[in-house]
Structure formats: structure tokens, C-alpha cells
Amino acid sequence: MYGAIEAGGTKFVCAVSNEALEVVERVSIPTETPEVTMQAVYNFFDQYELVSMGVGSFGPIDVNEASATYGYITSTPKLKWQHVNVLGMLKEHYDIPISWTTDVNAAAYGELTFGAAKGKQSCVYLTIGTGVGGGAVVNGQLLQGFGHPEMGHIHIKRLENDAFEGVCPFHNDCVEGLVAGPALEKRTGKKGIEVKANDEVWQIQAHYIAQALMNYTLILSPEIIILGGGVMHQKQLFPLIRQEFQKIVAEYVAYPDLDLYIVPTKLGDDSGIMGCLQLAKEVAGK
Ligand code: ADP
Ligand code: ZN
């Protein structure tokens, strides 16, 4: 069987699948201290005979195999998880090949293999939730360099008259600081879910998201961009983002039909887990 862990800041979703990558069992474990959470993770997987495992983790994480801290969660604001060797803990417990990447890379891979980007060689997956994070597949491979992309922190040009200070403690004008769920809530003074579909805030959100998508498009030229996360439950955002995208790209580059280019996830909450299972399958035997 293959094992998968989608390690998030609020919960760890663990699943096991058969050879055909059909999920046989899954659990959701609250993210507490590393000791408590990892023990619960072991308790779940110890019931199965695993061939390999795929892990998609919240971050930032170290994905550089040559690094002394490969497999660690690094400078996360979740203090108890700072500099925790998650991959090492798993390897100590399970003597099997384990694939290690970011949660959003895993989601991008899940969507590419089974979801909205099935049959394509490239995609960008962006989640707009508690934070903004992006993963990309280029030529069928997850995009990584010395580390992993941090697409949520690219610089955004503010709208004139937008005095909102943003919520990212590191940057004034990054996409996460301007449009993630906490930014939306601070701007409106409401819970994200309570912001009405016709609120004027969506125009602002759409404009900033479109700027980010323009940059990803110009740099990576992905075949499709998939948007997920809590904020994107507001479906009226999709046409607004497409309109803004069209406006600001200004016919400089040809891109696919926007209804097919900027799309919702197909796998919903399963993109990450399915990506992890596919990565587990690929790492098996290595
Ligand atoms: P996480 O990013 O922690 O995995 P989510 O993707 O569910 O979790 O994102 C949670 C954030 O999304 C919260 O900040 C919340 O404000 C926002 N959110 C959740 N649902 C909605 C909604 N229907 N409309 C607008 N914002 C939402
Ligand atoms: Zn930032």
C-alpha cells in the first residue's frame, strides 16, 4: 500500500491507498506539538504495510537533498514546528522510500495527474486561504531550485488609494498580505464566509490576484492555472479575475481561453493527498 500525508498547519491528513491509488482509509489529525501529532501519524500508518510514502508539507521546508537540514520544516511562524525534522522522524519510523515536497506542490501534482490539469505537462496551483501558496509543474516535473517557490510573496503593485497595510509580517505589498483570508477579513471586518458576493472588495481581490497570475504566466507559461483555498469558495471571483487578467496583460501574450486557463480545482480537498499518493508511487523502489 502507499501512504500519503498532507501536513498542514491545522491538521495532518493521512491516507493509505491500494496499487491503483484508490484511497482505502484516511484520517485527519490535529496539528499539535510535533511529538503528539507524529505519534498519532505513526499509530495510523502502523496498521498497514507500506511500500512507500509521499509527504506534502506546510512550510517553508527544506527540499534540497544536498542540505544538512533536508526534510526539515524551517522558519515557519508555527513556533513548535520550527526546525523540526519531519522527514527524519518518518524515516526513523519507516524504512521505506519517502517523497518530500510542499503541500502546494503536492496539490499541483495531484491536479496534474488526476484533476483539472490531467493530460498536461505543466500547471500552476495556487491556494488562497489562511495564506497564499503556489506550486508548479514544468515539463512534468515539480518546480524546485535551491528551495521551493514562494509564490504567495511576490510583489504586487497597489491600487491607487488603497491604504490597507496588508497582513504579511515580512512584506508590505505581497499577494498573501493583500488577499489571503486574514487580509480579506481585516479589510472587510467580516468573516470571509460572510462577505457578500456583490461586495466591492472582490474587485480589489480580483485585481491583485490577476496581477499575481500575470506574473506566473509571464515567467512559467503554464498550460493552466488552478485556484483553490477557502477564499476561492467565492465563485464570483473567477470571472472577475479573468476580466482583470485580460485587462492587465493587455494582449501582449497569447494565452488559452481564460475560462479554460484560470479554473477551480477539480479534486477539491483531495488535490494534495492524491498528489502525495502519486509521488509515493513514483518513489517506490528507489
Ligand atoms: P488553510 O489555508 O488553512 O488550509 P482554507 O483554505 O480553508 O484553509 O482557508 C481558510 C481561510 O479562507 C480563512 O482565512 C477564511 O477567512 C477564508 N475562507 C474560508 N471560506 C471562505 C469563504 N466561503 N469565503 C471567503 N473566505 C473564506
Ligand atoms: Zn509576504
Side-chain angles (χ1 to χ4, degrees):
M1 299 185 98
Y2 299 119
I5 306 177
E6 189 181 10
T10 49
K11 61 183 192 292
F12 275 44
V13 178
C14 302
V16 287
S17 83
N18 59 18
E19 276 290 309
L21 300 190
E22 291 157 350
V23 174
V24 174
E25 194 61 69
R26 67 158 63 216
V27 285
S28 176
I29 297 165
T31 309
E32 294 170 18
T33 63
E35 293 70 28
V36 170
T37 302
M38 294 306 285
Q39 187 56 54
V41 168
Y42 303 147
N43 291 347
F44 173 69
F45 286 114
D46 284 354
Q47 307 172 82
Y48 305 96
E49 197 150 319
L50 297 182
V51 176
S52 60
M53 200 182 266
V55 185
S57 176
F58 73 104
I61 64 174
D62 190 337
V63 293
N64 181 351
E65 289 187 41
S67 155
T69 53
Y70 173 65
Y72 283 56
I73 293 180
T74 57
S75 49
T76 170
K78 280 193 90 76
L79 298 181
K80 287 175 186 157
W81 289 84
Q82 256 183 20
H83 310 296
V84 171
N85 186 1
V86 174
L87 180 60
M89 290 168 91
L90 288 167
K91 284 204 154 154
E92 208 163 275
H93 215 87
Y94 302 104
D95 187 18
I96 53 175
I98 304 179
S99 185
W100 167 253
T101 191
T102 60
D103 46 5
V104 278
N105 259 351
Y109 211 50
E111 288 290 335
L112 186 98
T113 315
F114 304 104
K118 192 171 170 188
K120 301 193 190 303
Q121 287 296 305
S122 60
C123 71
V124 164
Y125 171 89
L126 193 75
T127 178
I128 305 176
T130 308
V132 175
V137 182
V138 177
N139 293 333
Q141 303 283 316
L142 285 174
L143 183 66
Q144 290 181 175
F146 68 87
H148 53 77
E150 282 286 355
M151 298 190 194
H153 295 272
I154 63 169
H155 190 82
I156 293 294
K157 184 177 170 192
R158 273 168 184 275
L159 288 164
E160 274 173 40
N161 307 324
D162 182 10
F164 178 66
E165 64 274 30
V167 298
C168 175
F170 297 97
H171 317 111
N172 287 331
D173 292 334
C174 68
V175 62
E176 174 169 307
L178 290 172
V179 310
L184 169 70
E185 296 188 343
K186 199 164 169 198
R187 219 183 246 287
T188 58
K190 295 184 188 130
K191 289 248 163 258
I193 198 166
E194 287 161 8
V195 182
K196 297 265 180 342
N198 62 359
D199 196 295
E200 58 193 27
V201 77
W202 298 118
Q203 197 59 48
I204 301 172
Q205 294 274 125
H207 175 74
Y208 291 145
I209 295 166
Q211 280 193 41
L213 302 194
M214 171 169 161
N215 286 328
Y216 308 143
T217 297
L218 296 178
I219 294 171
L220 295 174
S221 195
E223 288 162 273
I224 190 167
I225 297 177
I226 302 153
L227 302 178
V231 172
M232 293 311 303
H233 288 161
Q234 300 263 355
K235 294 295 176 218
Q236 75 284 1
L237 262 176
F238 281 92
L240 292 177
I241 292 168
R242 292 181 191 120
Q243 272 167 30
E244 285 299 303
F245 182 92
Q246 187 169 23
K247 233 188 267 171
I248 62 181
V249 173
E251 295 178 15
Y252 177 64
V253 284
Y255 43 75
D257 177 344
L258 288 184
D259 290 339
L260 304 175
Y261 184 58
I262 299 172
V263 301
T265 63
K266 197 156 178 190
L267 305 180
D269 292 337
D270 285 343
S271 327
I273 277 293
M274 292 313 297
C276 290
L277 286 172
Q278 178 65 23
L279 289 168
K281 184 176 170 179
E282 290 177 16
V283 82
K286 279 193 184 155

